[in-house]
Amino acid sequence: MNKDNSVNINIAPATFKDGPAIHQLVCLCGSLDQNSRYLYLLLCSHFNDYTLTAKTDDGVLAGFVSAYVIPNASDTLFIWQVAVSSEYRNHGIASRMITCLVEKARKNGICYIHATVTPSNITSFNMLKKVAGCFGAGIETDSYFPEELFSDNHEEERLVKIGPLKTEGDN
């Protein structure tokens, strides 16, 4: 468990009991694609190796990050969703959660990080650039899901590729 003393946030793996609170957080964020509560229950039980929560000392969910190892690319972690509650934003919680996630992934042989970001989501892209820099990795973007694949006014999702990640012994 990782504790941040400046805002009293504890970062830890999610459990299935976190699913309802994560679903509520995603719904309140407004900018994330909302999935069913059931999906978040599955995410927190089947994919909790790489799903982390950020909670206050009182157990209030301040944020979460979900990710999974891509099935046909066992050296690549796909970061799916990152959310921080509005009252806890601008404290670096998202960056700390992703850093914990990437550190764990590196220990498990992960060399690359992928995520998708819409062109207008400059904040998320800048956070991913910061993560790439922290781990001495390159970053590039490619087309991935064009907007016509979505049924609403959803922007295209661009694939952000980070890697290879430097290991702790690399210079």
Side-chain angles (χ1 to χ4, degrees):
M1 192 178 306
N2 185 5
K3 182 167 180 166
D4 171 61
N5 293 323
S6 64
V7 288
N8 297 322
I9 295 295
N10 300 293
I11 299 174
T15 70
F16 74 92
K17 292 180 181 179
D18 295 314
I22 289 172
H23 178 257
Q24 181 179 13
L25 174 60
V26 169
C27 290
L28 290 173
C29 282
S31 61
L32 293 175
D33 290 334
Q34 296 175 19
N35 298 286
S36 71
R37 182 177 284 207
Y38 181 68
L39 180 127
Y40 292 104
L41 291 169
L42 289 174
L43 188 66
C44 292
S45 57
H46 293 182
F47 296 96
N48 63 345
D49 282 345
Y50 294 107
T51 298
L52 302 177
T53 60
K55 295 181 182 177
T56 66
D57 287 338
D58 296 334
V60 174
L61 183 69
F64 94 103
V65 59
S66 60
Y68 57 88
V69 176
I70 297 176
N72 60 352
S74 61
D75 63 349
T76 305
L77 185 73
F78 185 86
I79 298 176
W80 181 22
Q81 285 188 311
V82 181
V84 176
S85 177
S86 59
E87 59 261 36
Y88 293 99
R89 289 185 188 147
N90 301 314
H91 292 285
I93 293 171
S95 292
R96 288 188 297 239
M97 288 188 299
I98 290 176
T99 298
C100 288
L101 187 72
V102 173
E103 287 173 350
K104 180 178 183 179
R106 281 192 328 168
K107 290 177 185 172
N108 291 326
I110 300 294
C111 302
Y112 301 93
I113 304 295
H114 287 184
T116 60
V117 178
T118 59
S120 66
N121 193 342
I122 305 300
T123 302
S124 289
F125 183 72
N126 286 338
M127 179 183 55
L128 291 169
K129 281 192 338 188
K130 180 180 173 186
V131 168
C134 287
F135 290 95
I139 185 169
E140 60 183 63
T141 61
D142 287 322
S143 296
Y144 201 59
F145 294 134
E147 61 187 88
E148 58 267 12
L149 292 178
F150 298 98
S151 61
D152 53 7
N153 291 328
H154 194 292
E155 289 181 87
E156 75 169 311
E157 291 279 352
R158 300 207 32 94
L159 181 62
V160 178
K161 298 188 276 187
I162 299 171
L165 302 169
K166 288 193 176 178
T167 60
E168 293 178 36
D170 289 346
N171 289 322

